[in-house]
Amino acid sequence: MSSSHVLVLNCGSSSLKFAIIDSNSAQEHLSGLAERLGEPSPQIKYKFNGEKHVVALANGDAHEVAIKKLVELVKTLKLDQQLVAVGHRVVHGGEHFTHSALITDSVLEAIKQTATLAPLHNPANLLGIEAASDAFATLPQVAVFDTAFHQTMEPHAFLYALPYELYRKNRVRRYGFHGTSHYYVSAQAIDRLGLTDKNSKIVTAHLGNGCSVCAVKDGKSVDTSMGLTPLEGLVMGTRSGDIDPGLFAFLVNQLDYTASQIDDLLNKKSGLLGISELSNDCRTIEESAADGHAQAQLALDIFCFRLAKQIASFAVPLSGIDAIVFTGGIGENSDVIREKVLTQLSFLGFKLSNEQNLAARFGNEGVITEQGSYPKALVIPTNEELVIAQDAAKLAQEQ
């Protein structure tokens, strides 16, 4: 059998997550993270053959240096000859892309055009693409878009009630994110529950530092909580989620905030961090709440209340709910949050199994509702890197 190994790159503003994955077997041969890029004390941490390693970079070294070091590492470990493609996570594809795409000049131009919709993400994604294209010039480069899965939403779900001209001229609309994660775990849930792409109503909850919920009907996204940007929707680690748009005028006119200060407030100083005044890390919040910290408890209560409300609202576009899937760092590990959310959704028929809920943590998965009860709730670890690898291998083979 010919090689099906793909180098997967997820390039953030100051980080680079990478992996080499066999797209057929799903085996991960190399995984790692370059962090604090462009800042003091950057480093590359990676895992190979079960052993962890750290490579120190010079102060200020950025993405280009990190990818150069990664190329050297891949060659040293003799993994380069097996690669068939490089797959890139790209956060925003706008309306240009409904599926993953081989990266050409026109695809690059479209990603650049959409950078105004994701100014924190797309420019970093482009850095990774350009550096990897230079380093792996003979390999097909493939872009896999967070937004693509949600392009099946209908206009009544994705349009804002704004002057239509803003959509017609500037494409202001709801796009949604975490698409590869929602796609992967919904497909897994459909398979495990014996449902079909023609008769299934799944709510997927991707809960990490960024959080979003998706309504997946018959295998397709019909609604999601994030919008034009990854700020809309749920309470997140440092992001506010939904707020009254009138807050902007209040902050500007009454408190003399600038646009950049408002953006910083809503994206970096709100959410769990803003409410608790402790941390954006859910583990810290849970531990502090258990120790009696009132604002930590309030942060948890708000997070779970808003999440439960959003899930319940998706019974409308789905015409009911067969199952909820929890995924992401919080979704896969926080039995506390899953219990609080499902308790609030008990009126829909969810019956939590405390034993199974506790068991489904730290890499373990499975159904967490009582046997024989309906609807179901499941924990399924996401695997966005595998989706990227499979799409990249498929497109590389087709070219």
Side-chain angles (χ1 to χ4, degrees):
M1 183 182 290
S2 61
S3 177
S4 55
H5 293 189
V6 174
L7 173 61
V8 175
L9 297 180
N10 182 351
C11 205
S13 58
S14 62
S15 66
L16 171 65
K17 188 177 180 183
F18 58 87
I20 291 180
I21 297 173
D22 185 326
S23 62
N24 287 331
S25 69
Q27 183 180 356
E28 197 171 74
H29 294 276
L30 174 72
S31 63
L33 174 69
E35 57 186 353
R36 298 195 292 273
L37 299 179
E39 301 173 6
S41 305
Q43 63 179 7
I44 298 176
K45 298 187 292 186
Y46 70 93
K47 185 177 179 181
F48 179 67
N49 283 342
E51 295 184 3
K52 295 180 180 179
H53 306 267
V54 178
V55 177
L57 303 177
N59 281 351
D61 280 352
H63 298 79
E64 293 83 357
V65 174
I67 289 183
K68 184 179 179 181
K69 292 289 186 183
L70 175 59
V71 173
E72 293 172 1
L73 175 64
V74 169
K75 290 181 177 179
T76 300
L77 298 175
K78 303 187 186 317
L79 296 171
D80 55 313
Q81 297 302 315
Q82 302 175 61
L83 293 177
V84 298
V86 181
H88 298 267
R89 179 200 181 207
V90 179
V91 168
H92 215 309
E95 290 188 329
H96 299 285
F97 303 102
T98 58
H99 297 91
S100 301
L102 278 168
I103 296 173
T104 61
D105 288 343
S106 61
V107 168
L108 268 179
E109 184 56 35
I111 295 171
K112 289 175 183 175
Q113 288 176 15
T114 9
T116 55
L117 297 173
L120 299 177
H121 298 89
N122 273 32
N125 301 153
L126 284 164
L127 278 175
I129 291 170
E130 289 163 3
S133 297
D134 291 338
F136 298 98
T138 61
L139 291 178
Q141 309 281 324
V142 174
V144 181
F145 302 92
D146 272 15
T147 50
F149 182 58
H150 303 298
Q151 286 297 300
T152 49
M153 290 193 298
E154 297 287 348
H156 67 261
F158 71 67
L159 283 175
Y160 293 112
L162 295 169
Y164 193 80
E165 185 179 31
L166 281 170
Y167 172 66
R168 184 168 52 240
K169 288 187 175 181
N170 307 107
R171 287 299 180 257
V172 173
R173 52 160 284 182
R174 302 178 66 249
Y175 289 97
F177 300 90
H178 296 137
T180 50
S181 179
H182 291 301
Y183 162 76
Y184 176 80
V185 297
S186 62
Q188 290 288 310
I190 288 169
D191 181 59
R192 296 179 195 193
L193 294 175
L195 302 172
T196 70
D197 282 348
K198 296 181 179 179
N199 184 25
S200 56
K201 305 165 185 176
I202 310 289
V203 176
T204 51
H206 179 103
L207 309 176
N209 194 47
C211 301
S212 68
V213 181
C214 183
V216 185
K217 188 171 186 177
D218 302 337
K220 296 180 179 179
S221 171
V222 293
D223 203 356
T224 190
S225 58
M226 283 181 169
L228 174 73
T229 73
L231 180 59
E232 185 178 350
L234 304 172
V235 173
M236 306 177 218
T238 62
R239 286 174 249 172
S240 65
D242 290 343
I243 56 160
D244 178 356
L247 174 67
F248 285 77
F250 175 81
L251 291 174
V252 170
N253 298 329
Q254 302 299 320
L255 302 181
D256 296 323
Y257 272 65
T258 64
S260 62
Q261 285 175 322
I262 294 174
D263 185 69
D264 187 61
L265 174 77
L266 298 179
N267 276 294
K268 298 179 180 179
K269 297 178 180 177
S270 298
L272 292 175
L273 173 64
I275 300 163
S276 70
E277 297 183 317
L278 284 175
S279 175
N280 65 310
D281 191 313
C282 190
R283 292 165 295 188
T284 302
I285 301 292
E286 287 185 20
E287 289 166 5
S288 300
D291 289 338
H293 192 286
Q295 282 178 239
Q297 184 62 58
L298 180 62
L300 276 182
D301 290 345
I302 294 173
F303 181 93
C304 294
F305 178 65
R306 291 269 292 273
L307 174 57
K309 279 207 305 180
Q310 184 70 74
I311 291 171
S313 74
F314 280 171
V316 174
L318 291 174
S319 300
I321 298 175
D322 289 323
I324 297 170
V325 185
F326 292 95
T327 195
I330 295 173
E332 294 168 27
N333 295 301
S334 178
D335 58 292
V336 173
I337 283 176
R338 297 192 304 245
E339 180 182 3
K340 286 175 70 68
V341 169
L342 290 175
T343 298
Q344 293 180 76
L345 294 173
S346 60
F347 71 96
L348 292 175
F350 290 98
K351 296 180 180 179
L352 181 71
S353 165
N354 291 322
E355 182 180 350
Q356 290 169 218
N357 187 37
L358 282 170
R361 294 180 296 167
F362 316 130
N364 296 317
E365 56 188 81
V367 175
I368 59 172
T369 40
E370 292 181 3
Q371 186 173 2
S373 67
Y374 175 87
K376 304 287 187 183
L378 304 85
V379 175
I380 299 177
T382 192
N383 197 339
E384 296 167 277
E385 289 78 14
L386 178 59
V387 174
I388 294 170
Q390 289 175 337
D391 277 12
K394 181 182 177 183
L395 286 171
Q397 188 178 26
E398 291 174 352
Q399 74 163 348

